[in-house]
Amino acid sequence: MAGDAPVQLDWDFAALHGAWPTGPDNHYLLDRLRDVPVDATAAGARGPVLEVGASEAIHSCRLSLLGLATVALEPSPAMLVHARERMAEYGTTFALVRGISEKLPFPDGTFDRVLCESSIDHL
């Protein structure tokens, strides 16, 4: 846990599933939102990668499958459950850490790259 900093306890994306339009434009957009951040983060990475606000950790799964040591940081216990489900779905493993970006529980210099894509608007 990230010290005495407040954390979001119960956010869960499940209510959003099925609510998005499903036309070809949306599929293209969602595919790009899945691919581009991972490709850009992985390009030239040599050391560990941190995903901040990982949600269900799909980016972390994909980074791990590329051979990168990956850590997913997420404040919501509900989303960490989904992240574990995604790891099983993708057939990969990496560290899941409950915490917040405002108080990273890691020493400086721990990571080669940081991916903060789906949570940047919450900071």
Side-chain angles (χ1 to χ4, degrees):
M1 194 60 158
D4 59 354
V7 296
Q8 187 173 0
L9 299 177
D10 59 359
W11 185 83
D12 191 343
F13 72 93
L16 297 175
H17 282 273
W20 289 92
T22 58
D25 290 339
N26 288 65
H27 282 291
Y28 174 79
L29 174 64
L30 292 174
D31 287 346
R32 297 300 293 156
L33 289 172
R34 181 195 65 217
D35 296 341
V36 171
V38 169
D39 293 345
T41 302
R46 289 183 170 78
V49 176
L50 172 66
E51 183 181 10
V52 173
S55 186
E56 58 185 313
I58 290 174
H59 292 328
S60 291
C61 289
R62 297 187 67 237
L63 288 163
S64 179
L65 289 174
L66 292 173
L68 294 167
T70 306
V71 174
L73 180 77
E74 172 58 42
S76 169
M79 294 312 298
L80 289 171
V81 169
H82 292 297
R84 285 183 194 88
E85 293 168 356
R86 292 299 157 258
M87 283 196 303
E89 178 184 313
Y90 279 77
T92 189
T93 59
F94 47 86
L96 296 174
V97 177
R98 183 164 180 237
I100 60 171
S101 60
E102 292 86 350
K103 279 197 155 192
L104 293 176
F106 312 103
D108 290 350
T110 299
F111 299 99
D112 183 40
R113 302 285 170 94
V114 175
L115 172 57
C116 183
E117 182 265 336
S118 60
S119 65
I120 193 74
D121 58 319
H122 299 280
L123 303 179

